[in-house]
Amino acid sequence: MKAIALDMDGTILDDDHVISKELITCIDDLQKKGYYIFVATGRTIADVEGVLATELEPDGIAAANGMTAIAKGEVLADEVVDEEILNDLIEENRKHRLYYEIHTKDGERFGFKEDEVFLMEELEGPMPETVKEHEWNSRQKVWESELTVTEDIDLSQVLKVYYFTKDQEKLENWKAALGSKKAPFATSSSSEHNVEVMKEGISKASALELLLDHYDLQPEDLMAIGDGGNDIPMLELAGRPVVMQNAPEELKDQFPEVTDYPNSENGVYMFLKDFTQED
């Protein structure tokens, strides 16, 4: 292996969205040994920079599920979702009433004022057992301090739209509605309670391919570690795919190399510590 791609939520971050000092040191040591470290996440670049520790300096970032790719400050991909598609999906979701966040290039998150009631409804009450703690914590934090609910939103610079619901059946109905659309867009889910919409043909793998090409590397040189459905493309791309212990069972069945510990117990650090001993 010459490069390692790391998912963030549910992988290098614990359930409070913190990366451990041990893992930061381990990643730094790997980079000093010549390994390239890529962060591959559903978060936007602005969100990544707000969460990652300042001591961590990845060689590349695949953000917004592949909509953005950056290698040491050099922009390799910078995509947006078509406005016509966005307007159609916003109207369609008013029939389904899922919580949503419209993510823009400048790192802002928006929702329309007329949708405020059903946005709130999805986040009220106790956390359902099937919802991952880190995802629930994120939604509460975003609603309290990061989501701007407004009458008018500029849809020309949208990276993705994130949809969430406590009701798994409701999500499946929404996915079916998305699947019936003929418009060119891609969808991705990191859990059984969310789905995201991006530009057609985009995934973490498409952004990682740009990063690999930038550094003159091949997919077989890449190790990838993730925990959710939106990690499947990059795991399929990688020469050595690794799944977190806290990942769904179907993901573990598809990719049999699994970390011994979950994200809440510093699982990536423990795995990479053993990996460095193999090296």
Side-chain angles (χ1 to χ4, degrees):
M1 297 295 105
K2 299 177 182 177
I4 303 171
L6 301 168
D7 172 49
M8 289 183 65
D9 294 275
T11 303
I12 64 172
L13 300 180
D14 64 19
D15 291 338
D16 293 317
H17 311 115
V18 176
I19 182 170
S20 73
K21 292 181 179 179
E22 294 92 345
L23 181 53
I24 292 170
T25 300
C26 181
I27 289 173
D28 182 59
D29 289 342
L30 285 166
Q31 288 175 303
K32 287 175 180 175
K33 289 182 178 181
Y35 290 95
Y36 294 96
I37 299 297
F38 305 140
V39 170
T41 177
R43 292 173 179 262
T44 64
I45 285 290
D47 205 10
V48 170
E49 292 172 347
V51 172
L52 275 191
T54 55
E55 307 97 302
L56 187 60
E57 297 183 4
D59 299 286
I61 300 175
N65 285 321
M67 293 287 283
T68 307
I70 295 178
K72 288 289 188 180
E74 182 177 346
V75 178
L76 307 179
D78 186 23
E79 306 286 355
V80 294
V81 184
D82 184 84
E83 283 188 67
E84 188 174 336
I85 292 172
L86 292 169
N87 281 310
D88 181 32
L89 295 182
I90 288 161
E91 288 302 319
E92 181 69 21
N93 186 48
R94 287 174 179 149
K95 304 172 188 175
H96 296 262
R97 299 172 68 86
L98 276 75
Y99 171 89
Y100 67 86
E101 299 167 10
I102 298 170
H103 291 245
T104 58
K105 279 189 175 184
D106 59 6
E108 298 294 321
R109 307 182 196 211
F110 294 96
F112 281 98
K113 186 70 175 178
E114 67 180 281
D115 303 330
E116 187 171 16
V117 171
F118 67 76
L119 294 178
M120 285 191 295
E121 286 174 352
E122 283 288 4
L123 302 182
E124 292 176 340
M127 182 182 78
E129 290 184 4
T130 53
V131 176
K132 294 181 179 180
E133 186 173 354
H134 68 80
E135 183 169 29
W136 185 253
N137 290 345
S138 285
R139 300 289 66 73
Q140 301 297 323
K141 179 186 176 186
V142 168
W143 177 254
E144 290 169 7
S145 61
E146 298 176 14
L147 186 71
T148 300
V149 180
T150 181
E151 299 282 355
D152 186 42
I153 301 171
D154 179 8
L155 298 179
S156 68
Q157 298 295 306
V158 174
L159 288 171
K160 66 173 186 174
V161 184
Y162 167 95
Y163 296 94
F164 171 84
T165 176
K166 296 179 289 187
D167 186 334
Q168 291 170 307
E169 182 178 356
K170 190 174 176 181
L171 183 70
E172 291 308 310
N173 290 336
W174 177 235
K175 285 182 176 180
L178 292 174
S180 69
K181 299 288 182 181
K182 302 302 181 184
F185 61 83
T187 63
S188 180
S189 295
S190 59
S191 81
E192 55 195 1
H193 287 274
N194 72 52
V195 63
E196 297 181 317
V197 171
M198 300 90 59
K199 185 176 178 178
E200 186 179 36
I202 299 295
S203 69
K204 290 185 180 184
S206 66
L208 285 170
E209 286 176 327
L210 294 174
L211 288 167
L212 290 172
D213 185 62
H214 178 81
Y215 288 110
D216 197 24
L217 300 171
Q218 301 301 316
E220 54 264 33
D221 299 324
L222 179 68
M223 175 195 290
I225 308 179
D227 77 306
N230 65 334
D231 294 316
I232 291 174
M234 78 167 182
L235 292 167
E236 291 176 335
L237 174 72
R240 184 173 177 178
V242 181
V243 172
M244 296 297 294
Q245 189 194 88
N246 47 283
E249 291 304 316
E250 56 267 27
L251 204 63
K252 297 178 188 177
D253 291 339
Q254 187 174 352
F255 304 100
E257 186 168 13
V258 180
T259 64
D260 291 332
Y261 299 90
N263 70 306
S264 58
E265 297 177 28
N266 220 356
V268 174
Y269 165 69
M270 300 299 289
F271 179 85
L272 291 179
K273 184 177 69 169
D274 291 341
F275 169 72
T276 56
Q277 292 173 354
E278 294 173 17
D279 186 27

